[in-house]
Amino acid sequence: MAGSGFRYRPEILDEIKEEDIMYLKEYEDWFVLESDQLKKITDHFVKELEKGLTKEGGNIVSFGPNLDQVTTPMNVTWVMGFPSGHETGRILTLDMGGTNLRVCDVCLSTRKRDFEQTQRKYKLPDEVKTGTGEQLWDFIAGRLETFLHEHHNGGRTGTTLPLSFTFSFPVDQKSIRSGVLQRWTKNFNVTGVEGQDIIPQLEAAFQRKNLPVRIVALINDTTGTLIASHYRDPQVKVGSIFSTGCNAAYMEECELIPKLADSGLPKNAKVIINTEYGAFDNDRKILPLTPFDRQIDHESARPGTQIYEKMVSGLYIGEMLRLIMLKLHEEGRLFKDQDVTRLRNENALEASFLSVAEMDFSDRLDDMREEFEESLGLSPSLHELRICRYLIGLVATRAARLYACGIAAICKKKNLRRCHIGVDGSVFNRYSGFKGRAAQALREIFDWPPTELELIALNAFEDGSGVGAALAAALVLEGEEKAKPL
Ligand code: BGC
């Protein structure tokens, strides 16, 4: 009986008591997305991607007081081609993501499609994410200084080292060496940077420390992933990140970009577009928001922005689960007579909490119980754990299915029926089951018969963005070399 009327894994409900099944139905109605809905969302998504390429859509101010006016920005990256595979040189890369700063020394070898890299990762402290611009840039310059001391003879090589900066936030670029931050995402809230070109700010911090580096390229992490994964597998047509944030980039024909009409580029030119589609549906036309989505948006650093990202990405799915469990506690359904102080703490749960729970296939759910104990100081009954596991499945499955809509939209727009998608990001790489759910959603959106293989395959490309950034810089340096007078 348990499964009657339920669409999400009805077999799990056999383990859950009947009185709980009644209220779980409401959660299922909120979170389950049927194939038809996915198709409608994808079609609307295609229109939004098109709109972002137009002058009107692309010109909407996306920083300052009009934050809610943002469409999908479709930012032009000025990366005008893929590397040939013969690029050479030694390039430093800095990658500022949502959680970590990575410094990398990449050596592109003369052997085609080969490279070596030395890498260091530093966690970005919360106070840096919410302080002043100067503090942020000084933190980055400080880590680079340490790295140069450890791996590059203190940078004292007598020459200025070329550096490529991967900045995982939306920027409006007039060239590959500049970028005005449109707005902070992923709950960053650093003052004095939105609406400003970030390159002079970072260069000033390098100068304060006398670092012998020269910024040659500014790229997004999705652009880096696209370049790096295409370098290894030319079948890759879209680069995507699924991690703290969520986004994708692809190569577009310049003649299909109305906002570039006056740029004087040759008709056959191509450029990588960083879609910044985390901002999809900021005008709230299609995504079925639950009360929890509204609450997350309301309590975020930039309400009204990144609506799609807030429904799917790693930064928010833990918080989504926390809000749901807290509501059920307050209704007297979960964790009765337990101390829920830690459950009340904002952002108490990371995406890995959900992943551990879903990986626990034991009868007594011991790993999951340990995770509740460690992260929240709670000792739930087996029955409560089962309910939570069901809810986790709902939240994570919705995230994966919505994620597939963005990828499907790019493929539909570009008429890509068969290709590979290069995906990087800790949640994609470590959340077992995520990829399978997203692949299933693609199958439903495109109506591939069960006998057909995945025509659009999501392939993990771990740590690609360092190499991608180095390759982007190598392309710029090659161009500079060619432009030199003989
Ligand atoms: C940013 C994108 C980035 C994505 C993944 C989003 O919040 O706006 O620029 O690519 O996160 O890191």
Side-chain angles (χ1 to χ4, degrees):
M1 71 78 14
S4 56
F6 276 81
R7 292 157 291 165
Y8 176 70
R9 298 175 69 187
E11 74 284 359
I12 294 195
L13 293 163
D14 289 336
E15 301 171 341
I16 294 178
K17 291 184 196 147
E18 199 157 339
E19 67 257 32
D20 292 314
I21 288 181
M22 299 319 292
Y23 72 78
L24 284 178
K25 179 84 178 75
E26 186 176 22
Y27 288 82
E28 181 162 299
D29 290 342
W30 274 324
F31 283 92
V32 170
L33 294 173
E34 304 286 6
S35 313
D36 280 358
Q37 274 171 293
L38 298 183
K39 287 179 184 169
K40 277 193 194 129
I41 292 170
T42 304
D43 289 343
H44 187 72
F45 219 134
V46 176
K47 288 190 199 130
E48 287 291 299
L49 299 181
E50 300 278 6
K51 195 159 116 199
L53 293 175
T54 63
K55 281 198 179 129
E56 305 70 41
N59 278 345
I60 287 178
V61 184
S62 41
F63 49 84
N66 301 325
L67 282 171
D68 53 342
Q69 287 186 21
V70 188
T71 54
T72 307
M74 305 295 274
N75 288 333
V76 175
T77 64
W78 301 105
V79 178
M80 317 276 309
F82 285 118
S84 62
H86 293 289
E87 288 69 21
T88 55
R90 190 166 181 189
I91 290 146
L92 288 171
T93 68
L94 269 179
D95 181 342
M96 178 182 157
T99 311
N100 297 306
L101 173 75
R102 254 187 285 182
V103 190
C104 218
D105 181 5
V106 184
C107 209
L108 301 167
S109 131
T110 43
R111 268 167 299 151
K112 201 171 178 229
R113 296 181 202 283
D114 199 8
F115 61 88
E116 278 174 30
Q117 58 178 353
T118 317
Q119 187 179 169
R120 277 291 302 272
K121 201 154 91 175
Y122 308 91
K123 195 163 167 47
L124 284 165
D126 284 343
E127 58 278 16
V128 168
K129 294 184 195 167
T130 51
T132 66
E134 205 164 285
Q135 285 164 341
L136 169 68
W137 306 124
D138 281 342
F139 174 85
I140 294 179
R143 296 295 124 4
L144 178 60
E145 188 177 34
T146 313
F147 183 86
L148 289 176
H149 274 288
E150 288 169 1
H151 303 284
H152 235 286
N153 190 24
R156 284 183 299 277
T157 50
T159 48
T160 307
L161 307 163
L163 181 139
S164 190
F165 184 36
T166 305
F167 184 63
S168 308
F169 299 89
V171 287
D172 186 11
Q173 295 191 267
K174 294 283 170 273
S175 76
I176 192 159
R177 270 206 75 259
S178 67
V180 173
L181 175 62
Q182 293 168 316
R183 66 191 168 278
W184 286 116
T185 59
K186 299 180 273 209
N187 282 343
F188 273 59
N189 199 2
V190 178
T191 55
V193 191
E194 275 172 330
Q196 305 294 320
D197 189 342
I198 61 165
I199 295 300
Q201 297 196 356
L202 182 57
E203 279 173 343
F206 290 163
Q207 270 157 22
R208 284 194 284 277
K209 294 203 183 304
N210 248 326
L211 301 180
V213 292
R214 172 171 81 100
I215 304 176
V216 293
L218 167 66
I219 63 162
N220 186 258
D221 51 356
T222 53
T223 308
T225 301
L226 174 59
I227 297 174
S229 44
H230 183 275
Y231 182 69
R232 281 182 237 165
D233 167 12
Q235 299 261 44
V236 170
K237 303 292 180 212
V238 178
S240 170
I241 299 284
F242 189 85
S243 189
T244 312
C246 165
N247 188 17
Y250 72 101
M251 187 66 87
E252 184 61 277
E253 282 78 26
C254 292
E255 60 179 347
L256 299 180
I257 310 177
K259 63 184 173 186
L260 283 185
D262 305 327
S263 59
L265 288 166
K267 272 258 176 319
N268 60 354
K270 292 183 181 179
V271 69
I272 294 181
I273 293 290
N274 163 21
T275 64
E276 285 297 336
Y277 69 28
F280 169 61
D281 208 37
N282 279 352
D283 54 357
R284 302 182 189 205
K285 294 263 167 59
I286 191 124
L287 292 173
L289 297 180
T290 67
F292 307 103
D293 296 305
R294 290 179 214 282
Q295 192 176 344
I296 285 184
D297 179 45
H298 184 70
E299 287 166 5
S300 69
R302 295 284 182 281
T305 70
Q306 303 294 99
I307 295 297
Y308 173 69
E309 178 166 86
K310 285 171 184 161
M311 294 175 86
V312 306
S313 83
L315 180 61
Y316 306 100
I317 55 177
E319 183 64 358
M320 186 86 54
L321 175 69
R322 184 187 75 84
L323 293 177
I324 295 172
M325 295 194 305
L326 194 58
K327 178 170 186 291
L328 290 175
H329 169 75
E330 274 157 7
E331 290 169 358
R333 303 194 195 278
L334 278 183
F335 321 130
K336 277 181 215 137
D337 307 322
Q338 294 220 27
D339 177 4
V340 292
T341 315
R342 285 169 66 188
L343 185 63
R344 290 193 191 285
N345 291 345
E346 247 178 68
N347 299 318
L349 297 180
E350 299 196 351
S352 56
F353 182 94
L354 286 77
S355 160
V356 169
E358 289 215 76
M359 282 298 288
D360 188 349
F361 294 106
S362 67
D363 287 344
R364 293 173 27 87
L365 299 177
D366 288 330
D367 291 349
M368 195 175 164
R369 185 186 313 282
E370 210 176 294
E371 204 60 25
F372 266 83
E373 188 70 56
E374 255 172 45
S375 305
L376 298 169
L378 291 171
S379 313
S381 66
L382 180 58
H383 182 66
E384 286 171 326
L385 287 175
R386 284 181 175 149
I387 292 176
C388 293
R389 197 148 178 271
Y390 181 74
L391 293 167
I392 289 170
L394 285 180
V395 170
T397 304
R398 186 189 71 158
R401 290 171 72 77
L402 280 178
Y403 170 74
C405 294
I407 298 296
I410 296 180
C411 294
K412 269 198 146 180
K413 182 189 174 320
K414 295 306 297 167
N415 206 10
L416 296 167
R417 286 156 200 262
R418 192 184 278 266
C419 68
H420 295 166
I421 314 292
V423 194
D424 198 358
S426 53
V427 187
F428 185 81
N429 292 328
R430 297 207 205 112
Y431 200 127
S432 131
F434 179 87
K435 179 177 157 173
R437 286 168 174 161
Q440 170 59 29
L442 284 176
R443 182 174 290 282
E444 291 170 36
I445 294 168
F446 289 107
D447 285 321
W448 299 326
T451 46
E452 188 80 77
L453 292 175
E454 285 160 15
L455 299 180
I456 296 169
L458 301 163
N459 293 344
F461 277 91
E462 224 167 325
D463 287 345
S465 87
V467 185
L471 287 163
L475 288 175
V476 174
L477 294 172
E478 254 176 39
E480 280 179 7
E481 214 36 57
K482 279 190 202 143
K484 273 189 191 156
L486 294 173

